[in-house]
Amino acid sequence: MLNIVIIGPPGAGKGTQSQYIKDKYNLTYLSTGDILREEIAAGTDVGKVVDDIIKHGKLVPDEIVVSIIRHKVLSHLSSPGFLFDGFPRTVHQAVMLDDLMKENNLKISAVLSLDVSVDVLTARMLERAKTSGRSDDNEETIVHRLREYNDKTKPVLDYYEKKGNLHTFCGDRKIEEVFKSLCEVIDEVK
Ligand code: AMP
């Protein structure tokens, strides 16, 4: 199984690159952000709890996202692999993901980190805000989301760096160029 984690600050292009990667390698795509937005739209109990948290650009509690991911992984074990987008976002989530992988004799093949300067990220997100309809694509919330990334998600990069499966890319380039670099690494590990 080819299991890929894609990490980067909001606006780094994770969603865009993920669409290309999942199609090319036929992976089961798990975006916790998308799943949580679906829960909100469907008005579920989880949706009601996370709605306000997401609007404020804060991270949803680990137990909620870990339970979502666990359920999805266990119900797609015959898939050619998983592409995790926006998960793990804390070291605790990363440890929980490792446990889940081990329990099922799986492993993370590569962690792809997209690095983009804050100016470019902010500009991209404000542009996206014009059409995305997302409750968290506004200037005030973007600041919180970037802070959450720096405080809680950057340590996840150190976690994977120590494990030796972190690959960092400059995400400040054309979509096709970034995709080509990501594929070079994926082709090596697959
Ligand atoms: P995204 O679509 O990945 O930008 O996620 C949108 C929002 O959903 C984030 O700002 C968080 O509030 C929440 N979220 C998504 N994934 C996670 C996660 N792994 N852990 C905690 N909160 C998350």
Side-chain angles (χ1 to χ4, degrees):
M1 244 197 202
L2 174 68
N3 298 310
I4 303 287
V5 168
I6 185 158
I7 297 193
K14 300 186 296 292
T16 305
Q17 294 299 332
S18 291
Q19 294 309 311
Y20 290 110
I21 296 171
K22 81 164 167 62
D23 287 348
K24 177 164 179 181
Y25 298 97
N26 196 20
L27 303 177
T28 299
Y29 176 56
L30 297 179
S31 153
T32 40
D34 283 356
I35 297 167
L36 293 169
R37 281 185 288 277
E38 281 162 22
E39 296 280 341
I40 295 171
T44 63
D45 289 345
V46 167
K48 284 179 194 136
V49 173
V50 303
D51 193 8
D52 232 36
I53 302 176
I54 292 182
K55 257 186 211 143
H56 288 96
K58 300 248 169 67
L59 288 189
V60 165
D62 289 337
E63 310 83 71
I64 295 181
V65 283
V66 168
S67 143
I68 288 174
I69 288 291
R70 171 172 283 276
H71 179 77
K72 295 277 185 193
V73 167
L74 295 181
S75 54
H76 291 85
L77 281 175
S78 54
S79 157
F82 293 97
L83 173 58
F84 299 97
D85 169 4
F87 179 90
R89 258 180 161 97
T90 65
V91 171
H92 181 67
Q93 291 177 19
V95 173
M96 293 288 114
L97 178 60
D98 273 348
D99 289 349
L100 177 62
M101 294 278 112
K102 262 186 236 142
E103 278 166 33
N104 294 284
N105 286 321
L106 305 173
K107 65 176 183 56
I108 299 296
S109 318
V111 177
L112 313 175
S113 159
L114 297 179
D115 204 12
V116 179
S117 69
V118 173
D119 289 352
V120 173
L121 292 175
T122 311
R124 277 188 192 170
M125 276 191 288
L126 289 176
E127 190 56 36
R128 184 170 82 183
K130 292 180 190 160
T131 54
S132 75
R134 278 178 54 158
S135 64
D136 56 353
D137 276 345
N138 59 73
E139 212 155 344
E140 197 191 326
T141 308
I142 288 168
V143 173
H144 287 291
R145 289 165 66 200
L146 288 171
R147 197 173 299 150
E148 289 282 73
Y149 181 79
N150 280 321
D151 293 351
K152 298 180 183 155
T153 308
K154 273 202 176 151
V156 177
L157 300 181
D158 301 333
Y159 176 85
Y160 285 122
E161 172 90 81
K162 281 191 195 119
K163 285 183 164 275
N165 54 358
L166 179 72
H167 304 266
T168 304
F169 303 85
C170 168
D172 204 351
R173 294 174 293 157
K174 286 199 188 116
I175 293 173
E176 317 80 72
E177 281 176 32
V178 176
F179 180 56
K180 191 167 168 273
S181 319
L182 297 178
C183 290
E184 280 165 13
V185 167
I186 299 174
D187 288 335
E188 257 173 47
V189 299
K190 81 171 196 238

